[in-house]
Amino acid sequence: MTAPKGSRGDLFDPDCPTRKLLDRIGTKWTSMAVKVLADADPDEVRFAELQRRMPGVSQKMLSATLQSLTRDGLVARRVEPTVPPKVHYRLTELGRSLEVPLAALRKWAEKHMSEIDRANAAAQSGDG
């Protein structure tokens, strides 16, 4: 049974819109893109600059991430009609509100990474 439109839904239902949104915003590339754009806010960032500030992201993955963020209303995209076109991105108000929980999650990960590493090492050595 699916929840009515506008309701919060059921996170444990595979068809739940909230679950699908969490799948999209819960990636490392989304977190990094939002962080880079938040650091630049209110200025825009060009695609190549985003890619430069996100080591390891492929052009294809960054493009897909930005398309998803734009479709969800978290990022605004502006194209200058030059040859080649210059594409600029910035967070929307909704996107800026996402930076708060993502920043908290990044802070938690940084604080607890050594504990996680120890737990993984113990599990691999058979101590866990």
Side-chain angles (χ1 to χ4, degrees), residues 38-104:
D39 286 349
D41 193 53
D43 294 331
E44 297 174 320
V45 181
R46 290 192 46 204
F47 185 93
E49 181 64 15
L50 273 162
Q51 190 172 22
R52 187 184 69 73
R53 293 187 193 180
M54 295 171 59
V57 70
S58 68
Q59 184 172 343
K60 182 178 178 180
M61 182 54 68
L62 180 56
S63 179
T65 300
L66 290 169
Q67 285 174 5
S68 177
L69 290 170
T70 301
R71 185 177 51 250
D72 289 338
L74 300 166
V75 168
R77 179 178 186 265
R78 182 176 66 85
V79 180
E80 284 184 44
T82 58
V83 179
K86 293 179 181 176
V87 184
H88 306 264
Y89 297 90
R90 66 173 175 74
L91 290 178
T92 62
E93 185 176 337
L94 184 60
R96 285 190 294 277
S97 74
L98 178 60
E99 169 55 9
V100 174
L102 287 180

Side-chain angles (χ1 to χ4, degrees), residues 15-43:
D15 294 324
C16 176
T18 302
R19 183 173 174 166
K20 292 176 180 181
L21 177 60
L22 287 171
D23 284 344
R24 292 194 306 274
I25 64 173
T27 71
K28 66 182 175 188
W29 301 124
T30 293
S31 184
M32 283 188 214
V34 169
K35 168 90 168 101
V36 170
L37 292 170
D39 286 349
D41 193 53
D43 294 331

